[in-house]
């Protein structure tokens, strides 16, 4: 390779180095700006906590202003017309499991109670023989006494387990369904539920509705299925609410011919369906949809927002009707979806750091 070629190669290398330096120098400001934005996003003044199973978001006033988040109070509204009452077919598997446990404990108690009189009689006989010139050894007498104590201890322990299990069933399912398990009438509603002849339906009524009376019934129909309305008989009040449909919940039993666990149903017709219900209108722009449910962010403090579910069964022209929220409640009407996104980004970030 001659000297002229070497000069050419050297010049090209120098030119490449100059171009690279120029690119770095020109793009430095933009790169630093991107880095600063990134750092501000990661270190943003956003804090998420959980209170009573609901998410609480804290965001300072400056960030709220920069993000364009706005809040307005909800206006009162009197709803006139047919109220859609919904329900769902729920699984009773835990109730079935509790029934099995209860019957097993009852069997154990029955065995212990049946052998106790024989062991007591044997102990008394051994005691008399032992006192009569030691016709029975002290060891045999002690063993007979130990059997009696063991039976009594087993009875007390089993009775305590039965009470604890009964209290658990009452806490989760209420007194009437607990009685169906503990008293186990056959044939009866529980027997028909256990044999899958009937299903348990949880119906959610608006808060202002009158509670159903015992021995009452209503008609239900699977959503989007055209079948003859199915008669459902009142069972009891439900301990737990249906988070996807805010309101007072009650249990009904219905034939299982067209109903399956997890199926949503309409109540037709609903009692007092023409009553006036007082509530609020939640504007469409305040709704953030997630997981098939409608959510809003309620402003509880100047820098604190609480995410709450909204009843989504009554849609109006300018929003959704909800009778579980007090008029005047301040909700986010601009930026709700942004808060929801930031909330989940914050949770993902914390999980990655952990």
């Amino acid at each position: 390779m001659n000297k002229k070629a070497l000069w050419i190669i050297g010049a090209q290398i120098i030119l490449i180095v100059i171009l690279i330096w120029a690119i770095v120098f020109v793009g430095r400001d933009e790169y630093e700006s991107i880095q600063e934005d990134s750092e501000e996003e990661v270190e943003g003044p956003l804090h998420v906590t959980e209170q009573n199973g609901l998410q609480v978001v804290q965001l300072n006033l400056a960030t709220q202003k920069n993000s364009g988040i706005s809040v307005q109070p909800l206006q009162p509204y009197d709803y006139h017309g047919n109220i859609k009452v919904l329900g769902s077919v729920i699984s009773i598997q835990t109730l079935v499991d509790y029934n099995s446990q209860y019957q097993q404990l009852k069997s154990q108690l029955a065995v212990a109670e049946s052998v106790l009189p024989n062991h007591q009689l044997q102990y008394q006989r051994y005691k008399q023989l032992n006192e009569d010139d030691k016709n029975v050894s002290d060891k045999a007498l002690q063993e007979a006494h130990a059997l009696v104590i063991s039976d009594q201890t087993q009875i007390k322990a089993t009775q305590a387990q039965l009470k604890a299990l009964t209290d658990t069933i009452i806490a989760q399912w209420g007194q009437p369904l607990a009685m169906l398990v503990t008293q186990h009438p056959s044939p009866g509603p529980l027997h028909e539920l256990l044999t899958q002849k009937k299903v348990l339906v949880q119906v959610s009524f608006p808060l202002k509705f009158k509670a159903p009376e015992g021995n009452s019934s209503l008609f239900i129909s699977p959503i989007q299925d055209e079948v003859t309305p199915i008669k459902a008989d009142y069972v009891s009040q439900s301990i737990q609410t249906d988070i996807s449909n805010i309101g007072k919940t009650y249990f009904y039993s219905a034939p299982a011919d067209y109903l399956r666990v997890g199926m949503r149903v309409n109540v037709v017709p609903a009692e007092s369906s023409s009553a006036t219900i007082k509530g609020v209108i939640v504007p469409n722009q305040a709704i953030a949809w997630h997981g098939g449910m409608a959510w809003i962010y309620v402003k509880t403090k100047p820098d604190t927002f609480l995410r709450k579910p909204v009843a989504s069964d009554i849609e109006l022209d300018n929003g959704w009707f909800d009778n579980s929220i007090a008029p005047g409640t301040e909700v986010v009407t601009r930026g709700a979806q942004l808060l929801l996104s930031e909330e989940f980004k914050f949770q993902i970030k914390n999980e990655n750091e952990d």
Side-chain angles (χ1 to χ4, degrees):
M1 182 179 296
N2 57 34
K3 186 179 293 186
K4 182 178 180 180
L6 291 174
W7 276 104
I8 293 173
I9 294 174
Q12 290 176 341
I13 293 174
I14 293 172
L15 181 60
I16 292 172
V17 171
I18 292 173
L19 289 173
I20 292 175
W21 178 84
I23 291 172
V24 171
F25 181 80
V26 172
R28 180 180 59 185
D29 293 339
E30 183 178 353
Y31 175 78
E32 290 177 353
S33 176
I34 292 173
Q35 285 294 97
E36 291 176 358
D37 292 342
S38 176
E39 290 174 0
E40 288 176 1
E41 181 180 355
V42 173
E43 299 174 0
L46 177 69
H47 184 60
V48 180
T49 58
E50 185 171 312
Q51 296 181 5
N52 299 323
L54 298 175
Q55 300 294 335
V56 175
V57 179
Q58 291 179 320
L59 202 62
N60 64 34
L61 298 179
T63 305
Q64 292 179 38
K65 183 177 180 180
N66 294 335
S67 301
I69 293 175
S70 59
V71 177
Q72 74 178 41
L74 295 179
Q75 301 301 315
Y77 184 82
D78 293 342
Y79 180 78
H80 304 273
N82 293 327
I83 303 292
K84 181 186 290 185
V85 178
L86 299 177
S88 59
V89 182
I90 64 172
S91 172
I92 63 164
Q93 185 57 50
T94 55
L95 200 60
V96 172
D97 294 339
Y98 286 147
N99 178 65
S100 177
Q101 295 175 31
Y102 191 87
Q103 298 309 316
Q104 185 176 1
L105 288 173
K106 288 286 288 184
S107 298
Q108 294 177 7
L109 179 62
V111 171
E113 290 176 337
S114 66
V115 299
L116 176 61
N118 293 333
H119 289 161
Q120 288 175 327
L121 183 62
Q122 183 181 19
Y123 169 68
Q124 293 298 330
R125 186 169 62 251
Y126 278 19
K127 184 179 180 181
Q128 292 177 359
L129 292 174
N130 179 265
E131 292 173 352
D132 186 13
D133 295 331
K134 300 291 183 179
N135 290 327
V136 170
S137 66
D138 292 340
K139 181 179 179 181
L141 180 63
Q142 292 173 356
E143 291 176 348
H145 190 213
L147 286 175
V148 173
I149 294 176
S150 176
D151 292 341
Q152 292 173 339
T153 301
Q154 179 67 33
I155 290 173
K156 290 181 179 180
T158 306
Q159 288 174 338
Q161 288 178 291
L162 283 168
K163 184 180 184 305
L165 181 58
T166 300
D167 292 341
T168 300
I169 301 172
I170 292 174
Q172 294 184 6
W173 293 89
Q175 183 72 35
L177 282 174
M179 291 179 61
L180 290 178
V181 172
T182 56
Q183 297 182 7
H184 205 263
S186 181
L190 180 63
H191 179 74
E192 294 176 334
L193 290 172
L194 295 177
T195 57
Q196 299 182 353
K197 292 181 179 179
K198 287 192 174 183
V199 294
L200 194 64
V201 182
Q202 187 183 57
V203 176
S204 180
F205 291 102
L207 295 175
K208 300 295 183 180
F209 269 36
K210 181 181 177 181
E213 299 179 355
N215 299 322
S216 62
S217 60
L218 48 75
F219 290 89
I220 60 177
S221 178
I223 294 178
Q224 297 179 345
D225 280 343
E226 296 182 0
V227 299
T228 303
I230 303 167
K231 183 180 179 182
D233 298 319
Y234 178 79
V235 175
S236 66
Q237 179 178 333
S238 174
I239 298 296
Q240 300 180 357
T241 189
D242 181 357
I243 193 171
S244 64
N245 191 42
I246 308 300
K248 298 184 294 185
T249 49
Y250 300 89
F251 287 135
Y252 287 80
S253 65
D257 297 339
Y258 297 100
L259 302 173
R260 300 294 181 269
V261 172
M263 184 178 291
R264 301 288 289 176
V265 298
N266 286 316
V267 177
V268 283
E271 290 186 16
S272 303
S273 60
S274 60
T276 298
I277 306 297
K278 293 184 177 296
V280 296
I281 295 180
V282 181
N284 290 319
Q285 60 269 28
I287 299 293
W289 292 94
H290 173 70
M293 293 177 54
W295 301 86
I296 58 171
Y297 280 91
V298 176
K299 187 175 184 178
T300 57
K301 295 179 181 178
D303 63 343
T304 304
F305 301 91
L306 174 66
R307 180 159 63 94
K308 296 181 62 176
V310 178
S312 57
D313 54 329
I314 303 176
E315 184 177 6
L316 305 174
D317 292 337
N318 52 345
W320 300 85
F321 177 78
D322 192 304
N323 66 339
S324 66
I325 305 174
T329 300
E330 292 188 315
V331 300
V332 175
T333 54
R334 181 181 177 187
Q337 196 66 47
L338 174 63
L339 282 178
L340 183 66
S341 300
E342 289 298 318
E343 177 185 334
F344 283 101
K345 282 183 1 186
F346 184 86
Q347 292 175 355
I348 293 172
K349 173 189 168 186
N350 284 349
E351 290 175 359
N352 292 337
E353 289 177 352
D354 293 340

